[in-house]
PDB file of all heavy atoms in Angstrom:
ATOM      1  N   LYS A  21     -19.403-190.602  35.677  1.00  0.00           N
ATOM      2  CA  LYS A  21     -18.204-191.472  35.840  1.00  0.00           C
ATOM      3  C   LYS A  21     -18.176-192.159  37.130  1.00  0.00           C
ATOM      4  O   LYS A  21     -17.932-193.270  37.339  1.00  0.00           O
ATOM      5  CB  LYS A  21     -16.874-190.645  35.528  1.00  0.00           C
ATOM      6  CG  LYS A  21     -16.776-190.380  33.966  1.00  0.00           C
ATOM      7  CD  LYS A  21     -15.574-189.507  33.846  1.00  0.00           C
ATOM      8  CE  LYS A  21     -15.257-189.171  32.460  1.00  0.00           C
ATOM      9  NZ  LYS A  21     -14.072-188.333  32.146  1.00  0.00           N
ATOM     10  N   ALA A  22     -18.415-191.426  38.190  1.00  0.00           N
ATOM     11  CA  ALA A  22     -18.502-192.068  39.602  1.00  0.00           C
ATOM     12  C   ALA A  22     -19.510-193.172  39.720  1.00  0.00           C
ATOM     13  O   ALA A  22     -19.377-194.178  40.272  1.00  0.00           O
ATOM     14  CB  ALA A  22     -18.783-190.925  40.665  1.00  0.00           C
ATOM     15  N   LEU A  23     -20.762-192.921  39.205  1.00  0.00           N
ATOM     16  CA  LEU A  23     -21.826-193.861  39.246  1.00  0.00           C
ATOM     17  C   LEU A  23     -21.451-195.030  38.292  1.00  0.00           C
ATOM     18  O   LEU A  23     -21.768-196.201  38.657  1.00  0.00           O
ATOM     19  CB  LEU A  23     -23.142-193.266  38.872  1.00  0.00           C
ATOM     20  CG  LEU A  23     -23.765-192.185  39.633  1.00  0.00           C
ATOM     21  CD1 LEU A  23     -24.898-191.572  39.138  1.00  0.00           C
ATOM     22  CD2 LEU A  23     -23.956-192.717  41.052  1.00  0.00           C
ATOM     23  N   ASP A  24     -20.901-194.812  37.199  1.00  0.00           N
ATOM     24  CA  ASP A  24     -20.521-195.864  36.283  1.00  0.00           C
ATOM     25  C   ASP A  24     -19.432-196.767  37.106  1.00  0.00           C
ATOM     26  O   ASP A  24     -19.494-198.042  37.000  1.00  0.00           O
ATOM     27  CB  ASP A  24     -19.763-195.412  35.059  1.00  0.00           C
ATOM     28  CG  ASP A  24     -20.773-194.703  33.940  1.00  0.00           C
ATOM     29  OD1 ASP A  24     -21.983-195.025  34.226  1.00  0.00           O
ATOM     30  OD2 ASP A  24     -20.319-194.123  33.165  1.00  0.00           O
ATOM     31  N   PHE A  25     -18.505-196.077  37.787  1.00  0.00           N
ATOM     32  CA  PHE A  25     -17.489-196.881  38.461  1.00  0.00           C
ATOM     33  C   PHE A  25     -18.124-197.747  39.613  1.00  0.00           C
ATOM     34  O   PHE A  25     -17.618-198.887  39.865  1.00  0.00           O
ATOM     35  CB  PHE A  25     -16.458-195.894  39.151  1.00  0.00           C
ATOM     36  CG  PHE A  25     -15.376-196.658  39.991  1.00  0.00           C
ATOM     37  CD1 PHE A  25     -14.147-196.958  39.440  1.00  0.00           C
ATOM     38  CD2 PHE A  25     -15.471-196.837  41.331  1.00  0.00           C
ATOM     39  CE1 PHE A  25     -13.191-197.667  40.041  1.00  0.00           C
ATOM     40  CE2 PHE A  25     -14.546-197.299  42.013  1.00  0.00           C
ATOM     41  CZ  PHE A  25     -13.414-197.807  41.411  1.00  0.00           C
ATOM     42  N   LEU A  26     -19.151-197.346  40.140  1.00  0.00           N
ATOM     43  CA  LEU A  26     -19.908-198.169  41.153  1.00  0.00           C
ATOM     44  C   LEU A  26     -20.808-199.137  40.591  1.00  0.00           C
ATOM     45  O   LEU A  26     -21.464-199.913  41.302  1.00  0.00           O
ATOM     46  CB  LEU A  26     -20.735-197.120  42.033  1.00  0.00           C
ATOM     47  CG  LEU A  26     -20.012-196.166  43.029  1.00  0.00           C
ATOM     48  CD1 LEU A  26     -20.868-195.105  43.557  1.00  0.00           C
ATOM     49  CD2 LEU A  26     -19.245-196.999  44.090  1.00  0.00           C
ATOM     50  N   GLY A  27     -20.842-199.296  39.200  1.00  0.00           N
ATOM     51  CA  GLY A  27     -21.853-200.179  38.486  1.00  0.00           C
ATOM     52  C   GLY A  27     -23.170-199.834  38.518  1.00  0.00           C
ATOM     53  O   GLY A  27     -24.071-200.723  38.417  1.00  0.00           O
ATOM     54  N   CYS A  28     -23.588-198.735  38.662  1.00  0.00           N
ATOM     55  CA  CYS A  28     -24.859-198.127  38.846  1.00  0.00           C
ATOM     56  C   CYS A  28     -25.466-197.648  37.452  1.00  0.00           C
ATOM     57  O   CYS A  28     -24.878-196.818  36.858  1.00  0.00           O
ATOM     58  CB  CYS A  28     -24.983-197.112  39.768  1.00  0.00           C
ATOM     59  SG  CYS A  28     -26.636-196.282  40.014  1.00  0.00           S
ATOM     60  N   GLU A  29     -26.670-198.256  36.947  1.00  0.00           N
ATOM     61  CA  GLU A  29     -27.215-197.673  35.839  1.00  0.00           C
ATOM     62  C   GLU A  29     -27.654-196.336  36.056  1.00  0.00           C
ATOM     63  O   GLU A  29     -28.246-195.962  37.035  1.00  0.00           O
ATOM     64  CB  GLU A  29     -28.452-198.634  35.547  1.00  0.00           C
ATOM     65  CG  GLU A  29     -29.112-198.125  34.249  1.00  0.00           C
ATOM     66  CD  GLU A  29     -30.328-198.951  33.875  1.00  0.00           C
ATOM     67  OE1 GLU A  29     -30.765-199.874  34.818  1.00  0.00           O
ATOM     68  OE2 GLU A  29     -31.082-198.774  32.956  1.00  0.00           O
ATOM     69  N   ASN A  30     -27.321-195.443  35.029  1.00  0.00           N
ATOM     70  CA  ASN A  30     -27.588-194.013  35.149  1.00  0.00           C
ATOM     71  C   ASN A  30     -27.748-193.369  33.793  1.00  0.00           C
ATOM     72  O   ASN A  30     -27.192-193.869  32.784  1.00  0.00           O
ATOM     73  CB  ASN A  30     -26.572-193.295  35.977  1.00  0.00           C
ATOM     74  CG  ASN A  30     -25.171-193.316  35.398  1.00  0.00           C
ATOM     75  OD1 ASN A  30     -24.854-192.423  34.702  1.00  0.00           O
ATOM     76  ND2 ASN A  30     -24.413-194.301  35.599  1.00  0.00           N
ATOM     77  N   VAL A  31     -28.357-192.169  33.939  1.00  0.00           N
ATOM     78  CA  VAL A  31     -28.510-191.421  32.544  1.00  0.00           C
ATOM     79  C   VAL A  31     -28.561-189.907  32.914  1.00  0.00           C
ATOM     80  O   VAL A  31     -29.133-189.567  33.902  1.00  0.00           O
ATOM     81  CB  VAL A  31     -29.834-191.812  31.883  1.00  0.00           C
ATOM     82  CG1 VAL A  31     -31.100-191.631  32.791  1.00  0.00           C
ATOM     83  CG2 VAL A  31     -29.904-191.216  30.469  1.00  0.00           C
ATOM     84  N   ILE A  32     -27.879-189.324  31.968  1.00  0.00           N
ATOM     85  CA  ILE A  32     -28.018-187.734  32.063  1.00  0.00           C
ATOM     86  C   ILE A  32     -29.194-187.329  31.124  1.00  0.00           C
ATOM     87  O   ILE A  32     -29.393-187.722  30.033  1.00  0.00           O
ATOM     88  CB  ILE A  32     -26.738-186.992  31.535  1.00  0.00           C
ATOM     89  CG1 ILE A  32     -25.511-187.437  32.455  1.00  0.00           C
ATOM     90  CG2 ILE A  32     -26.807-185.562  31.391  1.00  0.00           C
ATOM     91  CD1 ILE A  32     -24.215-186.954  31.880  1.00  0.00           C
ATOM     92  N   THR A  33     -30.165-186.580  31.819  1.00  0.00           N
ATOM     93  CA  THR A  33     -31.385-186.298  31.071  1.00  0.00           C
ATOM     94  C   THR A  33     -31.988-184.959  31.492  1.00  0.00           C
ATOM     95  O   THR A  33     -31.809-184.596  32.632  1.00  0.00           O
ATOM     96  CB  THR A  33     -32.273-187.493  31.310  1.00  0.00           C
ATOM     97  OG1 THR A  33     -33.468-187.313  30.615  1.00  0.00           O
ATOM     98  CG2 THR A  33     -32.742-187.625  32.793  1.00  0.00           C
ATOM     99  N   SER A  34     -32.780-184.339  30.425  1.00  0.00           N
ATOM    100  CA  SER A  34     -33.608-183.199  30.913  1.00  0.00           C
ATOM    101  C   SER A  34     -34.995-183.730  30.586  1.00  0.00           C
ATOM    102  O   SER A  34     -35.897-182.728  30.495  1.00  0.00           O
ATOM    103  CB  SER A  34     -33.165-182.018  30.084  1.00  0.00           C
ATOM    104  OG  SER A  34     -33.037-182.326  28.683  1.00  0.00           O
ATOM    105  N   ASP A  35     -35.374-184.875  30.391  1.00  0.00           N
ATOM    106  CA  ASP A  35     -36.658-185.382  30.002  1.00  0.00           C
ATOM    107  C   ASP A  35     -37.342-185.489  31.248  1.00  0.00           C
ATOM    108  O   ASP A  35     -37.078-186.506  32.109  1.00  0.00           O
ATOM    109  CB  ASP A  35     -36.585-186.555  29.260  1.00  0.00           C
ATOM    110  CG  ASP A  35     -37.808-187.139  28.659  1.00  0.00           C
ATOM    111  OD1 ASP A  35     -38.874-187.053  29.401  1.00  0.00           O
ATOM    112  OD2 ASP A  35     -38.003-187.799  27.607  1.00  0.00           O
ATOM    113  N   SER A  36     -38.513-184.893  31.512  1.00  0.00           N
ATOM    114  CA  SER A  36     -39.274-185.017  32.780  1.00  0.00           C
ATOM    115  C   SER A  36     -39.901-186.362  32.957  1.00  0.00           C
ATOM    116  O   SER A  36     -39.822-186.898  34.087  1.00  0.00           O
ATOM    117  CB  SER A  36     -40.420-183.982  32.775  1.00  0.00           C
ATOM    118  OG  SER A  36     -39.913-182.611  32.876  1.00  0.00           O
ATOM    119  N   ALA A  37     -40.236-187.041  31.916  1.00  0.00           N
ATOM    120  CA  ALA A  37     -40.768-188.357  32.042  1.00  0.00           C
ATOM    121  C   ALA A  37     -39.742-189.437  32.492  1.00  0.00           C
ATOM    122  O   ALA A  37     -39.934-190.243  33.311  1.00  0.00           O
ATOM    123  CB  ALA A  37     -41.306-188.887  30.575  1.00  0.00           C
ATOM    124  N   VAL A  38     -38.485-189.203  32.021  1.00  0.00           N
ATOM    125  CA  VAL A  38     -37.392-190.134  32.492  1.00  0.00           C
ATOM    126  C   VAL A  38     -37.137-189.770  33.967  1.00  0.00           C
ATOM    127  O   VAL A  38     -36.931-190.703  34.730  1.00  0.00           O
ATOM    128  CB  VAL A  38     -36.170-189.943  31.600  1.00  0.00           C
ATOM    129  CG1 VAL A  38     -34.882-190.695  32.113  1.00  0.00           C
ATOM    130  CG2 VAL A  38     -36.384-190.264  30.183  1.00  0.00           C
ATOM    131  N   ILE A  39     -37.003-188.464  34.366  1.00  0.00           N
ATOM    132  CA  ILE A  39     -36.773-188.271  35.685  1.00  0.00           C
ATOM    133  C   ILE A  39     -37.824-188.820  36.505  1.00  0.00           C
ATOM    134  O   ILE A  39     -37.513-189.319  37.589  1.00  0.00           O
ATOM    135  CB  ILE A  39     -36.659-186.621  35.778  1.00  0.00           C
ATOM    136  CG1 ILE A  39     -35.426-186.195  35.099  1.00  0.00           C
ATOM    137  CG2 ILE A  39     -36.578-186.280  37.258  1.00  0.00           C
ATOM    138  CD1 ILE A  39     -35.364-184.662  34.808  1.00  0.00           C
ATOM    139  N   ASP A  40     -39.116-188.643  36.240  1.00  0.00           N
ATOM    140  CA  ASP A  40     -40.226-189.018  36.866  1.00  0.00           C
ATOM    141  C   ASP A  40     -40.230-190.565  37.296  1.00  0.00           C
ATOM    142  O   ASP A  40     -40.583-191.151  38.250  1.00  0.00           O
ATOM    143  CB  ASP A  40     -41.548-188.673  36.232  1.00  0.00           C
ATOM    144  CG  ASP A  40     -41.911-187.250  36.399  1.00  0.00           C
ATOM    145  OD1 ASP A  40     -41.410-186.596  37.327  1.00  0.00           O
ATOM    146  OD2 ASP A  40     -42.675-186.782  35.640  1.00  0.00           O
ATOM    147  N   SER A  41     -39.751-191.300  36.195  1.00  0.00           N
ATOM    148  CA  SER A  41     -39.672-192.760  36.261  1.00  0.00           C
ATOM    149  C   SER A  41     -38.373-193.361  36.900  1.00  0.00           C
ATOM    150  O   SER A  41     -38.393-194.553  37.244  1.00  0.00           O
ATOM    151  CB  SER A  41     -39.833-193.420  34.900  1.00  0.00           C
ATOM    152  OG  SER A  41     -38.674-193.136  34.061  1.00  0.00           O
ATOM    153  N   ALA A  42     -37.424-192.442  37.144  1.00  0.00           N
ATOM    154  CA  ALA A  42     -36.121-193.009  37.775  1.00  0.00           C
ATOM    155  C   ALA A  42     -36.441-193.409  39.251  1.00  0.00           C
ATOM    156  O   ALA A  42     -37.229-192.825  39.951  1.00  0.00           O
ATOM    157  CB  ALA A  42     -35.133-191.956  37.622  1.00  0.00           C
ATOM    158  N   SER A  43     -35.484-194.333  39.602  1.00  0.00           N
ATOM    159  CA  SER A  43     -35.574-194.858  41.099  1.00  0.00           C
ATOM    160  C   SER A  43     -34.911-193.748  42.014  1.00  0.00           C
ATOM    161  O   SER A  43     -35.243-193.698  43.157  1.00  0.00           O
ATOM    162  CB  SER A  43     -35.137-196.142  41.305  1.00  0.00           C
ATOM    163  OG  SER A  43     -33.658-196.179  40.827  1.00  0.00           O
ATOM    164  N   HIS A  44     -33.934-193.128  41.507  1.00  0.00           N
ATOM    165  CA  HIS A  44     -33.061-192.323  42.163  1.00  0.00           C
ATOM    166  C   HIS A  44     -32.823-190.924  41.350  1.00  0.00           C
ATOM    167  O   HIS A  44     -32.663-191.153  40.125  1.00  0.00           O
ATOM    168  CB  HIS A  44     -31.751-192.775  42.697  1.00  0.00           C
ATOM    169  CG  HIS A  44     -31.817-193.926  43.480  1.00  0.00           C
ATOM    170  ND1 HIS A  44     -32.491-195.090  43.245  1.00  0.00           N
ATOM    171  CD2 HIS A  44     -31.316-194.178  44.888  1.00  0.00           C
ATOM    172  CE1 HIS A  44     -32.321-195.966  44.262  1.00  0.00           C
ATOM    173  NE2 HIS A  44     -31.619-195.471  45.235  1.00  0.00           N
ATOM    174  N   ILE A  45     -32.695-189.855  41.962  1.00  0.00           N
ATOM    175  CA  ILE A  45     -32.433-188.523  41.151  1.00  0.00           C
ATOM    176  C   ILE A  45     -31.285-187.850  41.851  1.00  0.00           C
ATOM    177  O   ILE A  45     -31.220-187.714  43.076  1.00  0.00           O
ATOM    178  CB  ILE A  45     -33.644-187.648  41.175  1.00  0.00           C
ATOM    179  CG1 ILE A  45     -34.777-188.391  40.410  1.00  0.00           C
ATOM    180  CG2 ILE A  45     -33.342-186.367  40.437  1.00  0.00           C
ATOM    181  CD1 ILE A  45     -35.839-189.095  41.354  1.00  0.00           C
ATOM    182  N   ILE A  46     -30.314-187.296  41.006  1.00  0.00           N
ATOM    183  CA  ILE A  46     -29.274-186.365  41.361  1.00  0.00           C
ATOM    184  C   ILE A  46     -29.458-185.068  40.659  1.00  0.00           C
ATOM    185  O   ILE A  46     -29.572-185.071  39.375  1.00  0.00           O
ATOM    186  CB  ILE A  46     -27.917-186.986  41.124  1.00  0.00           C
ATOM    187  CG1 ILE A  46     -27.674-188.335  41.897  1.00  0.00           C
ATOM    188  CG2 ILE A  46     -26.786-186.057  41.396  1.00  0.00           C
ATOM    189  CD1 ILE A  46     -26.394-188.890  41.723  1.00  0.00           C
ATOM    190  N   LEU A  47     -29.323-183.976  41.378  1.00  0.00           N
ATOM    191  CA  LEU A  47     -29.412-182.607  40.874  1.00  0.00           C
ATOM    192  C   LEU A  47     -27.939-182.021  41.173  1.00  0.00           C
ATOM    193  O   LEU A  47     -27.591-181.616  42.201  1.00  0.00           O
ATOM    194  CB  LEU A  47     -30.352-181.764  41.608  1.00  0.00           C
ATOM    195  CG  LEU A  47     -30.489-180.266  41.159  1.00  0.00           C
ATOM    196  CD1 LEU A  47     -31.026-180.243  39.704  1.00  0.00           C
ATOM    197  CD2 LEU A  47     -31.374-179.544  42.241  1.00  0.00           C
ATOM    198  N   PRO A  48     -27.153-182.113  40.150  1.00  0.00           N
ATOM    199  CA  PRO A  48     -25.783-181.542  40.277  1.00  0.00           C
ATOM    200  C   PRO A  48     -25.786-180.058  39.958  1.00  0.00           C
ATOM    201  O   PRO A  48     -26.766-179.545  39.694  1.00  0.00           O
ATOM    202  CB  PRO A  48     -25.008-182.297  39.215  1.00  0.00           C
ATOM    203  CG  PRO A  48     -25.993-182.626  38.186  1.00  0.00           C
ATOM    204  CD  PRO A  48     -27.297-182.736  38.833  1.00  0.00           C
ATOM    205  N   GLY A  49     -24.518-179.435  39.965  1.00  0.00           N
ATOM    206  CA  GLY A  49     -24.496-178.033  39.503  1.00  0.00           C
ATOM    207  C   GLY A  49     -23.216-177.426  39.913  1.00  0.00           C
ATOM    208  O   GLY A  49     -22.701-177.579  41.099  1.00  0.00           O
ATOM    209  N   VAL A  50     -22.762-176.503  38.979  1.00  0.00           N
ATOM    210  CA  VAL A  50     -21.828-175.427  39.262  1.00  0.00           C
ATOM    211  C   VAL A  50     -22.278-174.235  38.590  1.00  0.00           C
ATOM    212  O   VAL A  50     -22.986-174.228  37.630  1.00  0.00           O
ATOM    213  CB  VAL A  50     -20.301-175.959  38.791  1.00  0.00           C
ATOM    214  CG1 VAL A  50     -19.916-177.166  39.512  1.00  0.00           C
ATOM    215  CG2 VAL A  50     -20.376-176.260  37.241  1.00  0.00           C
ATOM    216  N   GLY A  51     -21.643-173.111  39.026  1.00  0.00           N
ATOM    217  CA  GLY A  51     -22.113-171.854  38.415  1.00  0.00           C
ATOM    218  C   GLY A  51     -23.029-170.990  39.236  1.00  0.00           C
ATOM    219  O   GLY A  51     -22.900-171.193  40.530  1.00  0.00           O
TER     220      GLY A  51
END
C-alpha cells in the first residue's frame, strides 16, 4: 500500500524468477 501510494510498480511474490528480474527488492517480515 505504501509503494502504491508512491506510484511505484510493485508485486508480492515468492517466484525466484520474478525476484531475480526485479529492479528493487524488499524483504519484509514480522514473527
Side-chain angles (χ1 to χ4, degrees):
K21 285 179 181 178
L23 294 178
D24 288 345
F25 181 83
L26 292 169
C28 174
E29 182 183 3
N30 65 89
V31 62
I32 295 172
T33 183
S34 57
D35 186 323
S36 290
V38 173
I39 297 167
D40 285 340
S41 66
S43 62
H44 296 64
I45 297 97
I46 293 179
L47 178 68
V50 295

